[in-house]
């Protein structure tokens, strides 16, 4: 079973600060998701990546497959960024195997980000 | 599109009662999943489906049943509720397998007393 570790568990920042949330995993993966869970409980997908870097607005996600590590960066943080950020990984080279043990997402426990005005 | 919808939003059950959590999506997604979220733990997969008529167990399937008679609907049945099933339940769907963007429902908060 893939062990997915996120750090830090809790993060408090001032508005405008640059934020980094880290995710490391123990077994090789084919893809990684970053999700955002709002204070009201809803979960939205931010990124899905299998190599390199992706950018969407003020959010940047990077992944280093060899080092089994991904980071989520938030530039110019804002109080509306306050949420839980969740990393999830898909194991194996063939995630579409039906019924296979790698046919699932393994989730980290999340990082609670609070951005103060 | 309504996306992924779940009903009810909140539910309180007594131990031993049964109920069905409803999940529907209008995006013609083949892949649907049920997760539970408990404090201090990551989301855990209960059951999943890769298309109508095809379901399989996830990490924590005991005490739950699913069926997928249509592409749109993926209900989760609690056969005999136990306090250990107190949790928040999320349904999710995606176009393909987990290498595609996941769409989550708003969640159902279930309390079993």
């Amino acid at each position: 079973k893939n062990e997915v570790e996120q750090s830090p568990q809790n993060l408090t920042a001032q508005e405008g600060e640059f934020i980094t949330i880290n995710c490391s995993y123990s077994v090789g993966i084919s893809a990684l998701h970053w999700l955002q869970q709002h204070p009201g409980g809803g979960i939205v997908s931010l990124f899905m990546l299998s190599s390199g870097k992706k950018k969407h607005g003020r959010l940047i996600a990077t992944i280093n497959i060899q080092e089994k590590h991904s980071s989520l960066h938030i530039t110019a943080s804002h109080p509306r960024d306050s949420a839980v950020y969740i990393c999830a990984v898909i194991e194996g080279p063939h995630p579409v195997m039906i019924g296979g043990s790698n046919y699932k997402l393994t989730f980290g426990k999340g990082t609670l980000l609070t951005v103060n005005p | 599109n309504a996306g992924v919808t779940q009903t009810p939003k909140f539910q309180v059950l007594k131990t031993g009662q049964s109920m069905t959590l409803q999940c529907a999506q209008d995006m013609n997604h083949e892949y649907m999943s049920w997760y539970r979220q408990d404090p201090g733990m990551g989301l855990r997969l209960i059951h999943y489906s890769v298309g109508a008529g095809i379901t399989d167990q996830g990490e924590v399937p005991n005490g739950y049943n699913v069926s997928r008679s249509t592409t749109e609907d993926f209900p989760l049945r609690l056969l005999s509720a136990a306090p250990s099933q107190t949790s928040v339940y999320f349904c999710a769907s995606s176009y393909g397998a987990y290498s595609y963007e996941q769409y989550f429902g708003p969640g159902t908060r279930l309390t079993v007393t």
Side-chain angles (χ1 to χ4, degrees):
Chain A
K1 179 178 156 82
N2 215 335
E3 300 295 330
V4 180
E5 298 289 336
Q6 288 187 235
S7 62
Q9 289 185 333
N10 294 281
L11 180 57
T12 300
Q14 289 299 121
E15 183 173 356
E17 286 185 2
F18 181 84
I19 303 292
T20 296
I21 299 170
N22 298 297
C23 175
S24 61
Y25 47 91
S26 57
V27 177
I29 64 171
S30 59
L32 180 146
H33 290 261
W34 281 103
L35 309 167
Q36 180 192 54
Q37 186 167 26
H38 298 292
I43 300 173
V44 296
S45 177
L46 298 175
F47 295 103
M48 195 282 295
L49 65 165
S50 55
S51 65
K53 174 179 170 179
K54 286 190 175 180
K55 184 175 189 289
H56 185 256
R58 294 180 295 106
L59 301 177
I60 303 166
T62 64
I63 188 168
N64 186 318
I65 293 291
Q66 287 73 29
E67 294 189 3
K68 299 186 176 62
H69 181 268
S70 176
S71 293
L72 177 67
H73 305 287
I74 305 174
T75 62
S77 59
H78 190 276
R80 65 174 175 267
D81 297 325
S82 298
V84 175
Y85 292 83
I86 302 169
C87 165
V89 302
I90 311 155
E91 297 177 27
H94 301 295
V96 296
M97 282 175 55
I98 296 172
S101 61
N102 59 357
Y103 191 75
K104 66 183 182 78
L105 288 169
T106 302
F107 294 82
K109 295 180 182 178
T111 293
L112 174 61
L113 171 65
T114 303
V115 182
N116 294 319
Chain B
N1 287 348
V4 181
T5 58
Q6 288 183 238
T7 56
K9 290 195 172 185
F10 302 94
Q11 183 71 49
V12 179
L13 291 178
K14 294 188 186 312
T15 297
Q17 287 184 316
S18 63
M19 79 159 294
T20 299
L21 306 185
Q22 301 292 343
C23 174
Q25 51 88 13
D26 61 357
M27 297 173 281
N28 203 32
H29 285 170
E30 290 294 326
Y31 294 76
M32 297 185 74
S33 311
W34 275 103
Y35 297 94
R36 59 178 291 173
Q37 186 178 42
D38 301 295
M41 304 185 74
L43 287 153
R44 291 182 293 168
L45 180 66
I46 304 171
H47 285 284
Y48 66 94
S49 169
V50 302
I54 307 171
T55 64
D56 205 348
Q57 296 181 350
E59 184 182 355
V60 287
N62 292 341
Y64 307 95
N65 270 357
V66 292
S67 60
R68 184 98 179 269
S69 56
T70 66
T71 299
E72 294 77 21
D73 300 299
F74 190 42
L76 178 72
R77 296 183 191 83
L78 279 71
L79 309 172
S80 177
S84 60
Q85 293 178 304
T86 294
S87 188
V88 181
Y89 291 84
F90 289 95
C91 178
S93 74
S94 62
Y95 174 75
Y98 292 107
S99 53
Y100 289 82
E101 180 176 358
Q102 301 289 306
Y103 292 81
F104 285 82
T108 295
R109 186 173 294 274
L110 175 68
T111 302
V112 183
T113 61

